[in-house]
Amino acid sequence: MTLHDLENAVTGLSPDELARFRAWFAEYDGELWDQQIEADARAGRLDALADAALRAHHDGNTQEL
């Protein structure tokens, strides 16, 4: 299946099917994002960001949400 085929299939969905597809895709995309974040964290690719955030907090440059 090509991207064009997929686009055509999606545009042919009924409103109810499109809503279900949208919900499914959001869940699927979120799971992939979580997996990527976890892999990046395990590989140490987020260490510099975490260190900078901790420094900012220690220096008083943060606020409660």
Side-chain angles (χ1 to χ4, degrees):
M1 177 176 273
T2 67
L3 178 58
H4 181 72
D5 295 335
L6 185 56
E7 289 170 346
N8 285 338
V10 170
T11 59
L13 296 174
S14 70
D16 181 57
E17 290 171 322
L18 183 58
R20 289 186 4 234
F21 173 75
R22 188 180 295 121
W24 170 84
F25 187 79
E27 181 72 23
Y28 172 75
D29 195 39
E31 288 174 15
L32 291 179
W33 180 254
D34 287 348
Q35 290 171 11
Q36 184 63 55
I37 292 291
E38 290 172 12
D40 288 346
R42 280 191 303 275
R45 289 189 282 270
L46 303 176
D47 291 353
L49 291 173
D51 290 343
L54 289 171
R55 257 191 323 277
H57 182 69
H58 181 268
D59 293 345
N61 296 324
T62 59
Q63 60 183 349
E64 286 190 43
L65 296 176

